[in-house]
Amino acid sequence: MDRELLISAIIDHAALYHGDTEIVSVNTSGGINRYGYADCRARSLKLASALKKKGMQKPDRIGTLAWNNHRHLELYYGVSGSGLVCHTLNPRLHPDQVIYIMNHAEDRVLFFDKTFLPLVAAVKDQLKSTGSFVLMEASDEEVSAEYPWIEFYEDLIADGDDDYTWPDDLNERDASSLCYTSGTTGNPKGVLYSHRSTLIHAMMSATPDVMNFSAQDCLLPVVPMFHVNAWGTPYAAPLVGSKMVMPGPGLDGKSLVDLFNSEKVTISAGVPTIWAGLLAHLEASGEKLPHLTRTVVGGSACPPAMINKFRDLYDVEVLHAWGMTELSPLGSVNNLKNKHLGMPESDIIKLRENQGRPPFGIELGVFDDDDNQLPNDGVAQGNLYCRGYWVLTEYFSGDGGDPLHSGWFPTGDVSTIDADGYMTIRDRSKDIIKSGGEWISTVDLENLAVSHPDIAEAAVISARHEKWDERPLLIVVPKAGKTPDPAEILKFYDGKVAKFWIPDAVQFVESIPKGATGKMLKNALRDLYGDVLLAK
Ligand code: ADP
C-alpha cells in the first residue's frame, strides 16, 4: 500500500499495541506522572484539536521551551501529527538568541515549563510572531494574577475535541520539526526536518547495531528534547514500544541514579558532561546501576576512561555515537561486527573507543582541502563529509549559506575512516592544531589528560607560538582537593603520544566555559589563553 511516512503513525502504533506501556514523567512542579501510550496519543490528539481551534494551520511553527516530560512528548506528536512544525528551543541560550531564533522561525505559539517563566516574561515583548504563551501546567490563579497573558496547558487539553482525527492531507515530505544549531559563531541556523526524514531516522535508530531499542527496554533520555530532538529517541522508543522515563529538570547525578534504579531503566543517552556528574555521584555514594545495560554517549568525544569506568565498575556498555543537528542527528554509532567476536579483549576495548560506523542511510567520506576523496584506510585524515536520507539540503529560510558541496554536507569535523567504516573524530576543523605544518588532535590530548588521576576536566587549545605558529596548551580543572604539578602532568604524556604533540604548558582553571548543549567553548578559551605562550 502506498502510505505516507508520518510521525502520527508512530504514536498510533504505540497506542494500539503498547497502549499500557508506561511513560513515567517527573513534573517540573514536583511529583511524578504515569500513564500509557494510549493516554499519550489521546492527549496529543486533543492538543492538536485545540491548536486547530486557535487557528494554527500547516506549516505554522509552534515553539517549546521545556524539559523532558510527558507534556513535551504530547507536543512532539500533537504538533507534528497535525501538520504543524514543532520547534524546540534551547532554554540555556542567551535571551537575545532566543529572541533571534523565535523571530526567525516566526513561532506563533510558545509552550514553556514553569522553570522558564522568567525567561519568557523577559523576551515576550520582543517576539514579533508569537501571539500565545502556554504554561505547561494546570491552571493557577496566582500565576494568572501576576501574568494575565499566560494560558494553561491543561485548559487547552480540556478544550480539545475527543473525536479529532489526524488530518488526511499530509505528505511525508511536509515539515514536521525544527531545530537550530547552537551557533558558537554567527547566528544560529535552522534545520527543518520532514516526517519522512524523521521516520527513516527513527526506524534505523532502533535497530540493533544503532541504539538497539526494543519493547523489553526502558529508556531514559537524559539528552534534552531541545537538543536535536533528544537524538530522535522520543520517536524511536514508541516505534518499538519501549517504556520511557522522562527525567524533568533534575539532571544531577543523584536524581538520575535514583530514577535509573527505581524505574529499572535499561538504556539511556546523553553527553559526556552529564555522565561525568553521574559517575562522580556513583563513586561518592557507592551506589551501582543494576538494571542499566547500555548508554549512548555523543555530542562531544567520549573519553576512553569514561567508557572503561562504565564497563569495569558498573557493567554498562557505552555506545559511542557521533552526530549533528544537520543530521537529525545520528551519523555513526560504535558497535562490533561478527568478525570481531573472539578478538582479544584489549583489541575490542581499543576498537570500541572511536565514533563507530554509519548505519544504512548515511554515507561518510574524508576529503582533502581540494575536495579529493581520501581512502578509508584508517590513516588518511581529512574533512569529514556526509550524505544520506536524513541529512539537510539547505538551512531554514536559506539563511546560513548553501551547506552542500558537490552533493555532500561538509561537517566541519576532521576524521579518519577505516576499511570497515569505523570513523574517528580527530577534531573540529576550527579547533585542530597545526604546529610547524603538522596536525595535532586536541581530542586525543584531552582524552589522555582526563585519564590522569588528579584531573577532573581538560581542554586543549591551539595557542599562538612565535616559532611553530601554533602549539597545544593544556587547560585543566583539577579534582577537588588536588593540586597536581604541571611538569608531572606533562610527563604523563611521555610515551603515549608523539613528542611534538605534548602541550607546551598547563593552565589551571576553576571551570571550563560550556555552551548551551554542554560542549566546551574553545573559542572562549582561545580568547582568554591563546596568547599565553607568546608572553613567555
Ligand atoms: P553544534 O554543531 O551547533 O555544536 P551539534 O550538537 O549539532 O551542535 O554538534 C555537532 C558536533 O558535535 C559535531 O560536528 C562534532 O564536532 C561534535 N560531536 C558530536 N558527537 C561527537 C563525538 N562522539 N565525538 C566527537 N565530537 C562529536
Side-chain angles (χ1 to χ4, degrees), residues 181-182 227 299-301 320-325 355 413 425 428 519:
T181 62
S182 27
H227 187 194
S300 48
H320 193 190
W322 166 85
M324 305 182 75
T325 308
Q355 280 77 4
D413 289 324
I425 296 276
R428 295 223 73 166
K519 295 181 207 207

Side-chain angles (χ1 to χ4, degrees), residues 24 26 32 67-68 92 218-224 245-282 285 287-292 295 310:
V24 180
V26 177
I32 283 192
W67 300 113
N68 293 7
R92 296 184 185 129
C218 172
L219 164 79
L220 186 154
V222 182
V223 52
V245 180
M246 308 300 253
L251 300 179
D252 58 288
K254 181 180 180 342
S255 308
L256 288 175
V257 171
D258 287 352
L259 262 186
F260 277 133
N261 292 343
S262 62
E263 294 300 327
K264 300 191 170 66
V265 172
T266 58
I267 179 158
S268 188
V271 296
T273 326
I274 283 285
W275 299 123
L278 181 123
L279 287 169
H281 171 77
L282 288 173
S285 68
E287 284 166 285
K288 295 282 179 193
L289 298 167
H291 306 283
L292 192 69
T295 184
F310 264 121

Side-chain angles (χ1 to χ4, degrees), residues 43-327:
R43 282 170 53 93
S44 304
L45 280 161
K46 290 192 81 162
L47 175 73
S49 139
L51 285 169
K52 192 171 177 209
K53 285 188 189 171
K54 268 184 164 305
M56 298 302 123
Q57 45 185 324
K58 169 175 139 182
D60 283 341
R61 267 77 63 202
I62 308 296
T64 70
L65 273 171
W67 300 113
N68 293 7
N69 57 41
H70 68 290
R71 294 188 177 109
H72 208 176
L73 192 66
E74 292 161 8
L75 281 157
Y76 265 45
Y77 287 98
V79 171
S80 303
S82 60
L84 306 171
V85 175
C86 183
H87 173 205
T88 48
L89 285 137
N90 188 333
R92 296 184 185 129
L93 291 174
H94 190 277
D96 288 345
Q97 276 192 322
V98 172
I99 294 166
Y100 169 84
I101 292 175
M102 287 193 66
N103 284 336
H104 189 264
E106 299 175 10
D107 292 326
R108 295 203 52 201
V109 181
L110 176 64
F111 286 86
F112 61 99
D113 262 327
K114 205 163 186 177
T115 319
F116 310 118
L117 176 52
L119 171 64
V120 175
V123 301
K124 173 183 171 284
D125 290 340
Q126 293 169 73
L127 303 176
K128 298 195 184 106
S129 313
T130 318
S132 297
F133 298 87
V134 184
L135 179 63
M136 291 159 70
E137 293 284 344
S139 69
D140 179 327
E141 278 175 23
E142 254 177 58
V143 173
S144 286
E146 196 172 345
Y147 307 96
W149 42 273
I150 283 183
E151 298 165 55
F152 296 93
Y153 189 91
E154 292 302 328
D155 291 348
L156 214 62
I157 295 275
D159 198 30
D161 294 336
D162 283 324
D163 55 358
Y164 177 84
T165 52
W166 302 122
D168 53 15
D169 60 345
L170 294 191
N171 183 289
E172 64 187 36
R173 287 185 164 78
D174 286 340
S176 60
S177 62
L178 176 65
C179 293
Y180 279 71
T181 62
S182 27
T184 36
T185 51
N187 278 331
K189 293 175 274 197
V191 182
L192 189 65
Y193 310 107
S194 69
H195 286 261
R196 176 186 149 91
S197 70
T198 305
L199 247 78
I200 301 176
H201 179 266
M203 288 190 278
M204 281 314 300
S205 298
T207 58
D209 270 7
V210 187
M211 293 192 190
N212 189 10
F213 289 173
S214 88
Q216 292 173 30
D217 275 312
C218 172
L219 164 79
L220 186 154
V222 182
V223 52
M225 292 171 82
F226 53 77
H227 187 194
V228 216
N229 293 327
W231 303 348
T233 57
Y235 306 112
L239 185 124
V240 296
S242 307
K243 172 181 168 180
M244 286 188 91
V245 180
M246 308 300 253
L251 300 179
D252 58 288
K254 181 180 180 342
S255 308
L256 288 175
V257 171
D258 287 352
L259 262 186
F260 277 133
N261 292 343
S262 62
E263 294 300 327
K264 300 191 170 66
V265 172
T266 58
I267 179 158
S268 188
V271 296
T273 326
I274 283 285
W275 299 123
L278 181 123
L279 287 169
H281 171 77
L282 288 173
E283 221 164 298
S285 68
E287 284 166 285
K288 295 282 179 193
L289 298 167
H291 306 283
L292 192 69
T293 62
R294 58 212 189 281
T295 184
V296 184
V297 182
S300 48
C302 180
M306 182 174 278
I307 301 179
N308 297 342
K309 208 175 249 185
F310 264 121
R311 185 191 57 239
D312 298 340
L313 302 183
Y314 305 102
D315 201 17
V316 172
E317 180 190 13
V318 166
L319 304 174
H320 193 190
W322 166 85
M324 305 182 75
T325 308
E326 288 87 339
L327 272 69

